[in-house]
Amino acid sequence: MKVLKEIQALQMISDYHRATFKTIGLVPTMGFLHEGHLALLEKAKQECDIVVVSIFVNPAQFLPHEDLDKYPRDFLRDYHLCNSSGVNYIFYPEPELMYPKDYFTFVNVEDITERLEGQFRPGHFKGVSTIVNKLINIVKPHKAYFGQKDAQQAVIIQKMVEDLNIDTEVIICNTIREENGLAKSSRNVYLSEEEKQEAAVIFEALTEGKKMITDYKITDTESVKNVVSNYINRKSDKIKLQYLSITDNVKMKELGNLKLYKGDIIISLAAYMGNTRLIDNVSFNYKYQ
Ligand code: PAF
């Protein structure tokens, strides 16, 4: 496994592998890898000849008041995890290399970025689409792997790749969870053990919401949202919901009554546990009957 910090070196290596008909898989990360990332690596390893992991805490996707400085970092730990997962290259650039002085170009996916996360983190997705675009231009992967935990990010990246005719297949992999259901996230290090236990309520509530739709055939999404938020309020006084949405998985628009709806549904939310902001979602296919 090689660690590369230069853009041109990686571009040349990718050209070489492409010329010798090897398939390249990219797993973009911000480091501090957890089992969710390892599942992406495993999938990439199964499907591609060469696996590249990028480790870059992307300043452009953090708002000024967010946790850029304290975002967890541990390159040595990540290095060993990548090595034992069979990764071929780690791309580990310095921020100045990715955003040099007088950097002016950003990629902005419109509309879908304005709702849900976008409403509370304006500009976040512009930073995400820009860095993913840059990483794809540097690594030239046949496939790029992302987690379903960031449901809106997954939808936006797929749309960007489609709209900009980027020759990379986007693969979305299932959310990996703790035994109690808490979605794995690098930011979980901010939680105490007690908070981690209590945060299980989030996935329980989302699962209740899904059950209301799939098992109890409730079509009024407002009633479903009430069940989910009441569940959280009843079971935890520490978790404070920021938003709760029931949307489709293409435009991520709120769904009203589900009687006429057919397709994928995403129930997603953001909530604070103390100062830590957590996001999670459940997604499933739906047809009214
Ligand atoms: O999901 C993440 O970790 C980041 O948003 C990504 C895709 C690596 C871009 O910085």
Side-chain angles (χ1 to χ4, degrees), residues 164-187:
L164 296 181
N165 312 105
I166 296 174
D167 190 14
T168 296
E169 188 185 345
V170 174
I171 315 276
I172 308 300
C173 302
N174 291 339
T175 304
I176 304 295
R177 299 180 179 280
E178 303 287 351
E179 246 171 61
N180 70 0
L182 172 65
K184 300 257 183 188
S185 161
S186 306
R187 286 189 169 100

Side-chain angles (χ1 to χ4, degrees), residues 4 25-26 51 65 71 75 92 96 118 141 172 175 203 210 217 227 241 255 268 271 286:
L4 297 162
L26 166 66
V51 175
H65 64 275
Y71 193 86
F75 182 72
Y92 184 48
E96 299 72 36
I172 308 300
T175 304
F203 183 56
K210 176 182 170 188
K217 314 287 178 208
V227 168
L241 255 186
L255 297 170
S268 49
Y286 176 81

Side-chain angles (χ1 to χ4, degrees), residues 15-247:
D15 286 343
Y16 167 76
H17 287 305
R18 278 188 164 257
T20 52
F21 303 104
K22 297 281 196 280
T23 51
I24 304 173
L26 166 66
V27 180
T29 80
M30 298 209 297
F32 210 71
L33 305 181
H34 52 70
E35 281 89 340
H37 296 115
L38 300 187
L40 303 182
L41 295 182
E42 200 180 309
K43 180 99 170 136
K45 197 70 204 161
Q46 281 164 9
E47 295 186 351
C48 304
D49 301 311
I50 303 293
V51 175
V52 182
V53 175
S54 60
I55 297 181
F56 181 63
V57 183
N58 173 32
Q61 69 187 75
F62 288 78
L63 273 66
H65 64 275
E66 290 184 343
D67 56 343
L68 173 64
D69 291 340
K70 74 166 192 167
Y71 193 86
R73 295 160 167 90
D74 189 342
F75 182 72
L76 211 56
R77 181 176 162 276
D78 291 343
Y79 177 93
H80 289 297
L81 286 169
C82 288
N83 203 18
S84 47
S85 302
V87 167
N88 301 92
Y89 301 97
I90 298 180
F91 180 49
Y92 184 48
E94 295 298 327
E96 299 72 36
L97 187 73
M98 298 305 272
Y99 299 108
K101 195 171 157 287
D102 293 338
Y103 183 91
F104 293 137
T105 308
F106 292 87
V107 178
N108 190 30
V109 177
E110 294 181 358
D111 191 77
I112 351 169
T113 49
E114 285 157 22
R115 296 179 273 283
L116 313 177
E117 285 298 286
Q119 197 189 332
F120 293 97
R121 304 184 71 193
H124 164 70
F125 287 122
K126 184 170 148 194
V128 172
S129 354
T130 301
I131 196 66
V132 171
N133 208 300
K134 283 166 75 73
L135 290 168
I136 287 177
N137 286 335
I138 294 166
V139 178
K140 309 183 191 186
H142 296 86
K143 298 183 180 197
Y145 297 82
F146 301 87
Q148 173 62 24
K149 184 194 159 250
D150 296 292
Q152 191 176 10
Q153 168 174 286
V155 169
I156 289 165
I157 289 170
Q158 288 176 99
K159 190 69 186 131
M160 175 186 78
V161 163
E162 181 193 334
D163 286 355
L164 296 181
N165 312 105
I166 296 174
D167 190 14
T168 296
E169 188 185 345
V170 174
I171 315 276
I172 308 300
C173 302
N174 291 339
T175 304
I176 304 295
R177 299 180 179 280
E178 303 287 351
E179 246 171 61
N180 70 0
L182 172 65
K184 300 257 183 188
S185 161
S186 306
R187 286 189 169 100
N188 289 355
V189 286
Y190 300 150
L191 300 174
S192 67
E193 273 317 307
E194 197 188 309
E195 287 175 327
K196 275 188 197 155
Q197 288 315 316
E198 195 159 331
V201 166
I202 291 176
F203 183 56
E204 285 167 20
L206 288 168
T207 308
E208 279 300 305
K210 176 182 170 188
K211 229 194 294 173
M212 293 283 293
I213 297 174
T214 55
D215 297 6
Y216 303 133
K217 314 287 178 208
I218 306 296
T219 56
D220 170 24
T221 52
E222 284 309 311
S223 309
V224 177
K225 282 190 210 170
N226 283 337
V227 168
V228 175
S229 58
N230 288 341
Y231 188 98
I232 293 177
N233 294 337
R234 221 176 40 247
K235 297 268 179 151
S236 164
D237 46 29
K238 280 207 189 134
I239 303 172
K240 303 286 171 231
L241 255 186
Q242 189 178 45
Y243 70 81
L244 171 63
S245 285
I246 302 186
T247 64

